[in-house]
Every structure is written in structure tokens, then in C-alpha cells.
Amino acid sequence: MDTTKTPAPTAPEADSPADLKKADAPETTAPVAADTEAAGEAVPTEELAGLEDIEDLEDELDEEPAEEPSGVGAAACALVAAGLGLIALSGSWVSRVIAERATLIGQIDSVNATSTEDKIEALYGNAWQLTALVNGVLSTVALLIGVFVLARPAFGTPGRTLPTWVRAVSWAAVALGVIGVIVFAFMYFVLPLPKAA
């Protein structure tokens, strides 16, 4: 009867590799020694090949997989571009402040204006053009950011594409930017101030 005490199955010593090797060592020592004498150098070479395979597997497990970019930056840029395009079409706070400042300066200058056309130009001319200019700059920035987001995958990792919603928002930003630039050009260059009757 065997009187050696074995550890409990839930004990930490029961599953350790050292205990498993100790338990297997007496049984395998004799056959390995007999095979070594019979086969000569064949057994150690096979054992070394097995150890190299295990080391290769351990190296592969230690290597962390390369993370793919999540595209959060592209999504944020697409949203910013669409927002800028929308603000440029509806009018921004900055353009409103600049227009009010130009109107105030025009009111001061209109005191010396002699004709009605000069007064209209002094009061509204610069404010009109500055509003168009600021909104045109915002539209241009929205257009450039939208084009950048759409063109970015072509210069990045091959085979990587943006999510569908990011491309859709980028195309919307490009469309809003183009419309904003057209409106800017029309307001600034084509649409004249009203004439006095």
C-alpha cells in the first residue's frame, strides 16, 4: 500500500508544474536512460527540437497583436467639418460680431456722408462684405477638412477604409463647404448693396 500523501485537488501545490515534473520523473527516468543507450544521440536531438517548438510558441504568445487604428480622429474631423459648413451657411457668431463692429464704424462715418448711397455704403457695405468673408473662410475650412478626411485612407494603411457614417458625414461637409463658398462668392462679388431711389 502506498503511504505517500498527495495534495488536495484544490491546493495550489497540486497543479504546479514542478510537482507534475517530480511526479513524472521517477517513471520516465528509466525508459529514457534505456532509450538513450539504445538510440545513441537520437533522443536528445528530438527533445531539443520539442523544446525549440515550445519556445517558439511562447514567443508567439508573448507578442501582442498590433492594434488597428479606430478612426476616432477621422470621425471627429468629419463632424467638425460638417458643423463648420452648417455654421458658415447659417451665419456664425464671429461674423455677426464683426458685422456689428463694421456697422458701428459705418454709423460714425455716415455723419460726414452727403448722399444716401454713401450713407448706405458706410452703414452696411463693410458689414455685408465682412459677414460674407468670415462665412466664406469657415466654408473653405469645412471643405478642406472634409476633403482631407475622405482622402486620408488613400495615404494610410492599405486596405483600411473609414466607416460608412464617417464617409457620409465627410461628403455632407464637402457639400456644405462648396455651397458656402458659392454663397460667399455671390455675396461678396456679385450681389450689390441696394441703391437709393
Side-chain angles (χ1 to χ4, degrees), residues 68-79 145-171:
E68 291 187 20
S70 62
V72 173
C77 288
L79 290 173
I145 292 174
V147 168
F148 171 76
V149 170
L150 290 172
R152 175 69 178 101
F155 301 105
T157 307
R160 181 177 169 262
T161 59
L162 294 173
T164 304
W165 72 271
V166 173
R167 288 181 296 191
V169 171
S170 296
W171 277 112

Side-chain angles (χ1 to χ4, degrees), residues 50-69:
L51 288 176
E52 289 176 2
D53 291 339
I54 292 172
E55 288 175 2
D56 291 340
L57 289 174
E58 288 176 355
D59 290 341
E60 289 178 12
L61 291 176
D62 289 341
E63 293 177 6
E64 295 181 10
E67 293 183 17
E68 291 187 20

Side-chain angles (χ1 to χ4, degrees), residues 59-103:
D59 290 341
E60 289 178 12
L61 291 176
D62 289 341
E63 293 177 6
E64 295 181 10
E67 293 183 17
E68 291 187 20
S70 62
V72 173
C77 288
L79 290 173
V80 166
L84 283 175
L86 190 62
I87 289 170
L89 284 178
S90 64
S92 68
W93 178 80
V94 174
S95 67
R96 183 72 180 155
V97 169
I98 290 174
E100 291 294 329
R101 183 176 185 277
T103 302

Side-chain angles (χ1 to χ4, degrees), residues 23-40 42-44 46-47:
D24 292 339
E27 297 173 6
T28 58
T29 306
V32 170
D35 289 341
T36 306
E37 292 171 1
V43 174
E46 291 175 3
E47 288 177 6

